[in-house]
């Protein structure tokens, strides 16, 4: 039978209001509402128009229920600024990503999540020496309304993952090695930077790739902060966003590392030169230097003005973009088995382009065409990443 929940998901995925879809399909607004509520089943000709307007195969609307993610489950950085349509596009993309992730996990053994159950418990286990050292250096980020200390949380996680003070070469690869499922978002909206969530015991991060490489890295670290600090609480509100930003800053640029490698004189030229060491934006380094009291208020504001003149979307001497290493390995293995992108899309009942938007475009070239290769049964590959 026609699945009204899938119909609602498909409409939200395309960012269409009920009125806009009704106009495209040639029915009344009330009819669309009735279809979504399950009160009425559309006729076959109407279903064909719906499938065409929403760019989903007809079969998609006749499959089992799909998980619709509630707003509360995800962390959105600018929830108050984004429209309902932008929010629904991102959340519905997450629902499709869950289908793709389950399909992948049925065929591959992905890295298991490696997170402390509660970072506060881990902090309590610090030695008295560590606590004394932390206190003597001063807490740059005092606990917020959630009782979190972002600076301490970042230091704890680096210790837990045995990262030391070294810069992180590839943020996405690190997340995936620790069991985070990372997917891309193709949402041309500045308000939708990224979002994250725990789905059962599996952490997910969704990154908007229409940003600079440095901003994507910071977004990934920001979402990691949500996963660590807000796992057992609602990750909403300005206080939680400030905490996640502070976590990202401390995680990407550890305190001791910055104190040891900071430029002697903070100028626009020195920011651009030194940002490469931590692979962050010049603006992020400017903020971190000031938060650690290494620059004055005047210097910080002056550098903010200088950076603003370059343009919000312009990063001087930019870094190369990072992408998913797990998905790259998955697609390489599928290609060896003769499984094409069309095959995967057909099994998930979506268009191939839908998968491209979730997989950093890796499917675009890795899997193409239709294959007639005979696929013999073999053990599921076990994917591991070395960071």
């Amino acid at each position: 039978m026609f699945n009204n929940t899938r119909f609602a998901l498909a409409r939200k995925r395309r960012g269409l209001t009920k009125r806009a879809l009704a106009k495209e399909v040639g029915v009344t607004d009330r009819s669309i509402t009735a279809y979504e509520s399950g009160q009425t089943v559309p006729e076959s000709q109407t279903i064909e128009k719906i499938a065409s307007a929403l760019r989903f195969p007809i079969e998609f609307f006749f499959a089992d229920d799909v998980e619709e993610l509630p707003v509360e489950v995800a962390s959105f950085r600018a929830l108050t600024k984004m429209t309902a349509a932008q929010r629904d596009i991102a959340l519905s993309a997450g629902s499709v990503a869950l289908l793709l992730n389950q399909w992948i996990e049925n065929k591959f053994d992905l890295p298991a999540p490696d997170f402390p159950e509660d970072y506060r418990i881990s902090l309590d286990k610090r030695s008295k020496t560590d606590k004394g050292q932390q206190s003597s250096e001063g807490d740059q980020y005092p606990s917020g309304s959630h009782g979190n200390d972002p600076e301490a949380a970042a230091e704890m996680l680096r210790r837990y993952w045995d990262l030391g003070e070294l810069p992180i070469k590839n943020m996405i690869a690190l997340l995936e090695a620790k069991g985070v499922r990372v997917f891309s978002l193709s949402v041309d909206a500045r308000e939708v930077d990224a979002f994250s969530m725990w789905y059962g015991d599996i952490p997910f991060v969704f990154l908007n790739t229409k940003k600079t490489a440095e901003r994507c890295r910071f977004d990934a670290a920001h979402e990691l902060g949500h996963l660590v600090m807000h796992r057992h609480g609602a990750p909403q509100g300005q206080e939680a966003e400030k905490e996640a930003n502070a976590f990202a800053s401390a995680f990407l640029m550890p305190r001791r590392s910055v104190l040891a490698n900071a430029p002697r004189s903070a100028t626009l030229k020195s920011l651009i030169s030194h940002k490469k060491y931590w692979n962050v934006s010049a603006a992020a380094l400017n903020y971190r230097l000031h938060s650690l009291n290494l620059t004055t208020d005047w210097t910080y504001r002056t550098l903010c003005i200088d950076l603003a003149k370059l343009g919000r979307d312009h990063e001087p001497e930019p870094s190369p973009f990072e992408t998913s290493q797990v998905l790259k390995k998955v697609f390489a293995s599928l290609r060896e088995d003769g499984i094409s992108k069309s095959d995967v899309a057909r099994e998930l009942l979506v268009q191939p382009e839908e998968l491209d938007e979730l997989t950093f475009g890796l499917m675009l070239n890795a899997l193409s065409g239709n294959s007639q290769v005979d696929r013999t049964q073999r053990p599921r590959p076990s994917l591991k990443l070395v960071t």
Side-chain angles (χ1 to χ4, degrees), residues 180-252:
V180 182
R181 310 303 189 245
V182 184
F183 292 93
S184 58
L185 286 173
S186 182
V187 182
D188 193 11
R190 181 170 292 174
E191 295 79 8
V192 188
D193 287 302
F195 74 94
S196 57
M197 64 182 185
W198 282 92
Y199 185 76
D201 294 329
I202 304 296
F204 285 80
V205 165
F206 298 85
L207 300 174
N208 191 335
T209 56
K210 298 182 183 296
K211 313 286 181 180
T212 65
E214 289 83 357
R215 287 192 64 190
C216 282
R217 276 174 57 86
F218 194 90
D219 286 346
H222 175 103
E223 298 309 323
L224 177 60
H226 280 307
L227 293 174
V228 172
M229 296 186 295
H230 306 137
R231 179 176 183 178
H232 302 292
Q236 304 291 349
Q238 289 300 314
E239 188 66 30
E241 294 308 310
K242 290 179 181 178
E243 291 173 0
N245 273 336
F247 175 95
S249 182
F251 190 77
L252 291 172

Side-chain angles (χ1 to χ4, degrees), residues 149-164:
D149 185 335
E151 185 88 17
E155 290 183 3
M156 177 281 302
L157 190 61
R158 273 184 164 267
R159 293 184 187 183
Y160 185 83
W161 284 348
D162 196 24
L163 298 178

Side-chain angles (χ1 to χ4, degrees), residues 120-186:
R120 294 180 187 84
I121 296 177
S122 299
L123 288 177
D124 290 340
K125 294 180 180 179
R126 289 185 303 176
S127 67
K128 293 182 180 180
T129 302
D130 289 336
K131 288 183 178 180
Q133 186 175 15
Q134 176 75 10
S135 176
S136 65
E137 291 178 349
D139 290 326
Q140 299 299 326
Y141 300 102
S143 299
S145 62
H146 299 87
N148 294 317
D149 185 335
E151 185 88 17
E155 290 183 3
M156 177 281 302
L157 190 61
R158 273 184 164 267
R159 293 184 187 183
Y160 185 83
W161 284 348
D162 196 24
L163 298 178
E165 302 289 325
L166 295 175
I168 296 171
K169 294 181 179 179
N170 189 311
M171 191 64 204
I172 293 179
L174 174 63
L175 291 180
E176 292 182 321
K178 302 306 179 182
V180 182
R181 310 303 189 245
V182 184
F183 292 93
S184 58
L185 286 173
S186 182

Side-chain angles (χ1 to χ4, degrees), residues 260-282:
N261 297 282
R264 294 183 178 180
S265 176
T267 63
L268 183 60
K269 183 178 180 180
S270 66
L271 280 184
I272 295 174
S273 175
H274 282 73
K275 79 184 185 75
K276 301 173 185 176
Y277 179 77
W278 295 281
N279 201 1
V280 296
S281 68

Side-chain angles (χ1 to χ4, degrees), residues 293-309:
N293 297 319
L294 296 178
T295 58
T296 64
D297 292 345
W298 184 86
T299 299
Y300 171 70
R301 288 194 297 267
T302 299
L303 289 172
C304 284
I305 294 172
D306 291 340
L307 289 169
K309 292 178 181 178

